[in-house]
């Protein structure tokens, strides 16, 4: 024999705990996003002010500002969609390696094998973006309910399902 009041109480406690847990997780999530966004913006502004103080800007500095821009875009996209596009992390890595490559070539002694390693890393990361983009177009994580499109010019032809992600 099942005790209905105990089962109802158990379900209510479970729902309350789940709601409180979601509230705490989402609160931390938004606070962390605001903190990361604020720190990124602050670091970019401080770097820009330092460039003005020095009186000249090098290509390294511009690439560093691009890294801050990409980090800010990642925070914005994550804030709006609750999804972290892996491509942006790879873009940051490519920009960082490019900055290191330019710095090594323009500020240091003659080129060595390290430049080949950096170029190989950039090539590998570029290939990774290609793979990620292809995989996301062919195997979307979220499918559209009824994504149909017409084939050919005539409207009476059969339609095929189009893959895509929201």
């Amino acid at each position: 024999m099942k005790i209905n009041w105990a089962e109802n109480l158990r379900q209510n406690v479970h729902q309350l705990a789940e709601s409180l847990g979601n509230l705490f997780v989402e609160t931390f999530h938004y606070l962390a996003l605001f903190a990361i966004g604020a720190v990124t913006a602050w670091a970019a502004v401080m770097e820009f002010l330092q460039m003005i103080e020095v009186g000249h800007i090098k290509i390294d500095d511009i690439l560093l500002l691009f890294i801050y821009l990409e980090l800010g875009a990642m925070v914005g996209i994550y804030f709006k969609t609750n999804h972290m596009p892996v491509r942006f992390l790879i873009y940051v890595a490519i920009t960082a390696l490019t900055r290191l490559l330019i710095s090594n070539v323009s500020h240091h002694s003659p080129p060595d094998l390290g430049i080949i390693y950096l170029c190989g890393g950039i090539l590998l990361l570029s290939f990774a973006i290609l793979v990620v983009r292809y995989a996301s177009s062919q195997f979307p994580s979220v499918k559209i309910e009824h994504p149909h499109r017409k084939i050919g010019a005539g409207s009476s032809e059969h339609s095929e399902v189009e893959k895509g992600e929201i």
Side-chain angles (χ1 to χ4, degrees):
M1 179 176 167
K2 194 173 193 179
I3 302 173
N4 287 335
W5 67 268
E7 182 62 25
N8 289 337
L9 181 63
R10 185 192 70 77
Q11 288 177 357
N12 288 339
V13 167
H14 177 71
Q15 289 174 352
L16 178 65
E18 185 175 356
S19 294
L20 284 174
N22 287 339
L23 174 69
F24 290 143
V25 167
E26 288 177 11
T27 301
F28 174 76
H29 176 245
Y30 288 123
L31 288 175
L33 281 175
F34 281 121
I36 292 169
V39 167
T40 301
W42 181 60
V45 167
M46 296 307 290
E47 188 65 34
F48 184 74
L49 291 175
Q50 185 178 7
M51 288 177 211
I52 291 174
E53 185 180 306
V54 169
H56 61 87
I57 298 173
K58 299 176 292 207
I59 190 72
D60 297 349
D61 300 328
I62 295 170
L63 289 172
L64 183 60
L65 290 178
F66 269 108
I67 291 173
Y68 288 132
L69 178 68
E70 290 165 356
L71 290 173
M74 279 177 24
V75 169
I77 289 171
Y78 194 66
F79 185 74
K80 290 179 181 177
T81 65
N82 289 336
H83 289 55
M84 177 62 70
V86 174
R87 285 182 301 147
F88 278 85
L89 294 171
I90 300 173
Y91 293 148
V92 169
I94 288 173
T95 307
L97 287 179
T98 303
R99 181 174 183 260
L100 184 61
L101 177 67
I102 290 172
S103 176
N104 282 347
V105 168
S106 63
H107 299 291
H108 293 87
S109 57
D112 58 357
L113 197 55
I115 290 177
I116 301 297
Y117 292 147
L118 285 173
C119 292
I122 293 170
L123 182 65
L124 184 65
L125 289 170
S126 301
F127 182 70
I129 288 176
L130 180 68
V131 169
V132 168
R133 295 222 29 172
Y134 176 77
S136 67
S137 71
Q138 293 299 311
F139 310 105
S141 58
V142 178
K143 293 190 178 182
I144 300 170
E145 282 292 321
H146 300 288
H148 293 285
R149 68 176 169 151
K150 299 290 181 185
I151 302 175
S155 61
S156 63
E157 295 181 24
H158 294 77
S159 63
E160 72 175 23
V161 175
E162 182 178 23
K163 296 179 181 175
E165 71 181 294
I166 297 176

